[in-house]
Amino acid sequence: MSENPAREQIVTQQVYIRGANRPFGELTLEDARARADELRAATGWGPTARVAPVARAWRELAMAMERESAGTVSDLSPEVVVELAPRLWVVLPGGSGPPN
């Protein structure tokens, strides 16, 4: 399998979860489910309505991990990782770098 530079950059991005910064590629199915639930609970009306698409993306990540029997994000196909990362705000939408 050939290397995918975008995927390699994405899986090394740090994500704050379980009380620490962790590489995105190390996140588990449980982590994805927990983040989806956390963001869904924060979604409301007005400015917080903007959280809903991100919460849905984290749910899609969890579903993809279930579908592919992935133990961690790194186990997912490169296409899924690259497609979902901007919607998860692991990298900036429309860009290639991490959100600041």
Side-chain angles (χ1 to χ4, degrees), residues 6-92:
R7 180 214 176 264
E8 296 308 313
Q9 179 184 359
I10 292 166
V11 297
T12 61
Q13 291 300 322
Q14 297 291 304
V15 176
Y16 188 82
I17 198 160
R18 290 183 274 125
N21 286 321
R22 302 174 194 284
F24 179 60
E26 293 180 9
L27 300 187
T28 65
L29 174 58
E30 292 77 25
D31 292 332
R33 286 179 180 153
R35 179 60 53 96
D37 291 345
E38 173 189 6
L39 292 173
R40 187 173 54 241
T43 302
W45 57 276
T48 60
R50 294 179 183 198
V51 175
V54 181
R56 279 192 300 274
W58 280 93
R59 178 67 187 132
E60 287 177 37
L61 174 65
M63 291 171 19
M65 292 178 77
E66 290 170 348
R67 190 172 46 253
E68 294 188 21
S69 299
T72 65
V73 170
S74 289
D75 296 331
L76 286 169
S77 64
E79 298 79 18
V80 171
V81 172
V82 170
E83 176 191 339
L84 286 176
R87 295 176 36 219
L88 299 165
W89 281 79
V90 172
V91 295
L92 290 174

